[in-house]
Amino acid sequence: GQNIDQPTEMTATEGAIVQINCTYQTSGFNGLFWYQQHAGEAPTFLSYNVLDGLEEKGRFSSFLSRSKGYSYLLLKELQMKDSASYLCAVEDSNYQLIWGAGTKLIIKP
Amino acid sequence: IAGITQAPTSQILAAGRRMTLRCTQDMRHNAMYWYRQDLGLGLRLIHYSNTAGTTGKGEVPDGYSVSRANTDDFPLTLASAVPSQTSVYFCASSAHSLAGGGNEQFFGPGTRLTVL
């Protein structure tokens, strides 16, 4: 079966750094996406990785290791507005996105 | 219109009633998708359309139908609603249905549906 695992909830302090992990087992791999979803809102795109390594975009970075079936999202200089759920999704061999349940990130002052 | 719109925003429906959720995008995207999101579960694909005139079944298609008569619109119909269809429904679109950096999915604001 296809499976995406990520922690249910994490807590971090404003100004700190947090790493959200995602492991996956899917039928095929055509890329991994991270989305941000604030409570009561729609998911919005953060990053896309298809090759191994780190992709940096401002305060957010995403890492991929295809051989390990592993990715992480790194958030630096945390701000209160970063309180949200972070969704990991893998594009499988049928070009469909398989979604993790999401990680709720709580930022404390 | 900018992006994707969905209607209604929320709805309370009696079990057994028929309901159509509307979705319209103005980005001329080829691919469109319907997901449901339930607490503790990831987004689950209900139906999709790779291009106007074609549709396909996702992970959880039972009890739902879709049509894609044109590029912009992708309505989702519940023929006879049941309480287990209580959920938040998101419509999404992408430029195309193939892998690549351009396959980012854009989401509508969602419809919160309660079936009693």
Side-chain angles (χ1 to χ4, degrees):
Chain A
Q2 309 205 90
N3 196 48
I4 310 283
D5 285 321
Q6 41 181 143
T8 301
E9 186 175 296
M10 299 181 70
T11 302
T13 304
E14 189 177 15
I17 299 172
V18 71
Q19 178 175 312
I20 302 173
N21 295 326
C22 171
T23 58
Y24 63 89
Q25 289 179 302
T26 57
S27 56
F29 178 86
N30 282 308
L32 186 144
F33 293 80
W34 284 96
Y35 280 75
Q36 181 189 59
Q37 186 178 24
H38 286 101
E41 298 183 6
T44 55
F45 171 79
L46 284 178
S47 68
Y48 171 75
N49 294 69
V50 66
L51 300 176
D52 290 351
L54 188 68
E55 294 279 345
E56 297 186 77
K57 191 184 293 186
R59 294 189 299 115
F60 292 8
S61 302
S62 57
F63 172 83
L64 174 67
S65 170
R66 289 173 296 171
S67 63
K68 296 182 178 179
Y70 168 70
S71 173
Y72 67 73
L73 180 68
L74 191 71
L75 291 74
K76 302 176 184 177
E77 302 169 14
L78 285 169
Q79 302 175 9
M80 297 304 293
K81 67 178 182 179
D82 297 330
S83 292
S85 289
Y86 291 86
L87 314 181
C88 175
V90 171
E91 192 165 32
D92 69 7
S93 56
N94 294 318
Y95 303 108
Q96 301 296 345
L97 289 185
I98 309 300
W99 295 82
T103 299
K104 182 178 180 180
L105 178 63
I106 299 168
I107 310 295
K108 295 186 175 179
Chain B
I1 298 177
I4 302 181
T5 59
Q6 293 184 235
T9 303
S10 64
Q11 182 76 43
I12 298 175
L13 190 66
R17 297 296 296 268
R18 181 183 179 90
M19 176 75 191
T20 295
L21 308 185
R22 299 186 297 279
C23 174
T24 300
Q25 54 103 358
D26 65 354
M27 298 176 283
R28 308 305 293 172
H29 282 173
N30 285 321
M32 296 188 74
Y33 314 86
W34 273 106
Y35 292 96
R36 59 178 290 172
Q37 187 174 41
D38 302 291
L39 199 62
L41 299 177
L43 288 161
R44 291 183 291 170
L45 184 65
I46 304 171
H47 285 286
Y48 65 93
S49 169
N50 289 333
T51 188
T54 68
T55 63
K57 294 182 180 180
E59 178 186 357
V60 288
D62 293 344
Y64 306 94
S65 64
V66 292
S67 62
R68 185 88 183 278
N70 57 59
T71 297
D72 298 345
D73 301 301
F74 192 43
L76 176 74
T77 297
L78 289 67
S80 179
V82 295
S84 62
Q85 292 177 311
T86 294
S87 187
V88 179
Y89 291 85
F90 286 103
C91 180
S93 72
S94 63
H96 51 80
S97 60
L98 299 179
N103 200 36
E104 170 192 348
Q105 291 188 12
F106 296 82
F107 284 78
T111 294
R112 185 173 297 274
L113 181 67
T114 302
V115 183
L116 300 176

